[in-house]
Each structure stands twice: as C-alpha cells, then as structure tokens.
Amino acid sequence: MSEGSADSPQPTTPPQPPPGHYALGHPVIGPRPLARTRSFTRRGGRMPRTHQAAWDRLSREVVLTVPRAHGDTSTVVETSYRLDVGEVFGRRAPLVVEVGPGSGDALVAGAVARPDWDFLAFEVWRPGIGHALAKMEAATGGPALPNVRVIEADASLALQTILEPGSAHEVWTFFPDPWPKTKHHKRRIVSDDFATTVRDVLTEDGVWRLATDWDDYAEAMREVLDAREDLRLVSTERAPLRPVTRFERRGTEAGRAITDLAYVRV
Ligand SMILES: C[S@@+](CC[C@H](N)C(=O)[O-])C[C@H]1O[C@@H](n2cnc3c(N)ncnc32)[C@H](O)[C@@H]1O
C-alpha cells in the first residue's frame, strides 16, 4: 500500500486530557477533573537556624524522597508511585497518617506516646517540617524517632494514590487552614472529595480525627461527613493523643471553641 493512498490509516488525534487538572499542571487522578489543590499557599521561607540544623541532621532519615510529577520542587507525587509502608518502617504496625502536621506537635507527641504505631505525615510547608525535626531532637535527645516519616507533598492528591487502600488505622487532620473568608471556603481541605480519599485510605474500622477552632468550619465538616453512609461520627471528645498546639491556644485566646470530631469508617 502506497503512502497517502485512500487505504492509509488516517492520522489520529492523541487522547486529550480532561480539562481542569492537567490544565493547571496536575496529573489526572480518576474521572473527576480536580482543580489545583488550594488548601495551602505558603511552602517555603527561611527556617530559623536551629530548625535548619535539625533539617540538615535528620531530614535524610525522616523525610522520604518520592518521585514527583512536575519536577523536584513539585508537591505532586508521581501517581504511579506506591509507598511500601512495611519497607519504610521495617515492620507492620498500626499506621497513623497526619495531614498537615505544621510544626509537628501532634506528630512528635503521638509518636513518642505510641512507639508501637507508625506515623506518616504529609506537609507542604518545609519550615514546618524543620521545626518538627527540631521538636523530635528535643524529645529524643538527638536521634530521629524510628516510627515517623514525613512526605513533603500535597496530601489531598498523594493520598489518592500513594498508599494501599485500607492501610491507615487513623487519619489526623488537626486545625486545617480555616480559610475564614466565605469566598475562600472552597479552599478548605475537608470536602466530600477529600472524605472519599480518606475513607479509601482507612482500614475497615479506621478512624478519621479532626479538630478545628472555627465553628463554621466545624459545621461544614459535620454537614459533609454526617451525610456520608461510609463514615459514622463516634466521638466529639478531644482526640486522645492531641496535644495543645499554637493553633488551639490562639483560637481559645480569641474566644473560639474547639471542636473535635472522630469518624469511623463503616
Ligand atoms: C493551620 S496549620 C495546623 C498545623 C497542625 N496540624 C497543628 O494543629 O498545629 C495547617 C497545616 O496544613 C498544611 N497543609 C495545608 N494543605 C495541605 C495539603 N494539601 N497537604 C499537606 N499539608 C497541607 C499547611 O502547610 C499547614 O502547615
């Protein structure tokens, strides 16, 4: 058959990615055209010298190197990458996943209180991770806690792909950025889509613990999560391992009430 004859295969248009996700520089995950995650804005900034020093000493051990979809500084973990939790921690123990540990109060306190559990945190704010590593050194007298790992990445995307479904005993989302202005509410990380992601990551009877000092965010969380048949509210008591953090103190000083919520996967 000669080139260009009527029988030649017609040139085909390569499949086009759905709008939204790719357009904004993110890989597509599932059929939903996710908008770019906007739950965070700050990523960098200078670390105080002591936090930088802790980062220099411990990050190689604690902060995992993961393949990234859009270059070394991207917060998007390559979607084909799966974390081998057993290999990372060298054992199989109940796993706590923390979303946005900030400067690591709950992460470090939890890991010290439960050496028999493993803690995997996702944080996009590097100075916060440096601060968490400094707190870790203060707690241990120097070495890394063997049951803690941190991934510097966007949790709402990474959790859709990086873990085996049903692998987390607990997920913690303490004092997520409140985005108090009405026009910014859509940036709040706790949404119905994120609840689906968390549900999939939890073990059958796994628990999602949340806390906030913003009443309208607490109400929005209840509205979204109470409506789901796959999550059941089991407690509004303070989460057992949650220490008082800067965000709780600040909220209380401003006269705001703290809401704790715990949902079990059903
Ligand atoms: C208000 S701070 C709370 C920190 C900590 N949980 C506490 O209670 O002290 C919220 C943290 O979530 C992080 N964050 C926001 N969106 C995130 C995302 N999509 N993935 C990972 N971390 C995120 C922010 O960088 C910030 O450090």
Side-chain angles (χ1 to χ4, degrees):
M1 192 191 308
S2 66
E3 222 187 331
S5 77
D7 296 334
S8 301
Q10 295 302 305
T12 51
T13 318
Q16 294 300 303
H21 221 134
Y22 269 103
L24 289 155
H26 281 266
V28 98
I29 303 168
R32 285 171 291 161
L34 273 174
R36 190 180 84 79
T37 298
R38 292 184 183 277
S39 63
F40 57 92
T41 48
R42 56 180 191 169
R43 293 241 13 238
R46 270 170 69 87
M47 288 190 218
R49 225 158 25 91
T50 49
H51 302 174
Q52 181 67 52
W55 171 277
D56 293 344
R57 283 189 290 269
L58 296 190
S59 62
R60 247 191 308 273
E61 213 175 320
V62 179
V63 183
L64 297 177
T65 303
V66 293
R68 294 175 188 273
H70 304 289
D72 288 351
T73 58
S74 157
T75 56
V76 184
V77 176
E78 187 63 65
T79 53
S80 59
Y81 177 70
R82 304 284 174 271
L83 190 75
D84 185 335
V85 176
E87 191 185 302
V88 162
F89 290 102
R91 64 175 184 178
R92 278 283 178 189
L95 180 69
V96 175
V97 170
E98 184 167 16
V99 174
S103 51
D105 291 292
L107 181 65
V108 171
V112 168
R114 295 303 309 242
D116 52 333
W117 289 4
D118 290 329
F119 293 76
L120 177 66
F122 292 83
E123 177 55 70
V124 288
W125 183 46
R126 185 177 285 199
I129 302 176
H131 197 173
L133 296 176
K135 284 178 184 159
M136 189 181 281
E137 287 188 330
T140 63
L145 286 164
N147 57 337
V148 175
R149 295 293 185 282
V150 179
I151 298 181
E152 191 182 354
D154 177 348
S156 58
L157 293 180
L159 285 177
Q160 295 183 42
T161 53
I162 196 168
L163 292 175
E164 283 287 317
S167 52
H169 184 70
E170 297 201 354
V171 173
W172 294 355
T173 312
F174 295 150
F175 299 93
D177 291 301
W179 295 108
K181 290 184 184 161
T182 308
K183 67 174 180 183
H184 288 149
H185 283 182
K186 55 183 176 294
R187 292 175 176 237
R188 290 174 165 176
I189 196 165
V190 180
S191 65
D192 199 41
D193 278 347
F194 186 58
T196 301
T197 302
V198 171
R199 188 273 323 271
D200 287 346
V201 154
L202 285 171
T203 55
E204 289 275 315
D205 54 355
V207 178
W208 186 11
R209 299 187 186 281
L210 306 105
T212 181
D213 57 328
W214 290 85
D215 279 348
D216 68 326
Y217 200 177
E219 277 162 29
M221 289 173 179
R222 290 278 320 244
E223 203 173 306
V224 168
L225 304 184
D226 288 2
R228 296 183 65 106
E229 290 183 353
D230 50 6
L231 293 170
R232 181 163 46 85
L233 183 68
V234 287
S235 174
T236 53
E237 298 293 308
R238 184 186 191 92
L241 293 175
R242 186 172 72 71
V244 177
T245 67
R246 188 157 63 92
F247 292 96
E248 174 165 4
R249 250 191 314 274
R250 213 192 269 172
T252 310
E253 279 163 20
R256 295 192 292 271
I258 310 299
T259 301
D260 274 84
L261 302 170
Y263 286 84
V264 70
R265 178 181 170 168
V266 287

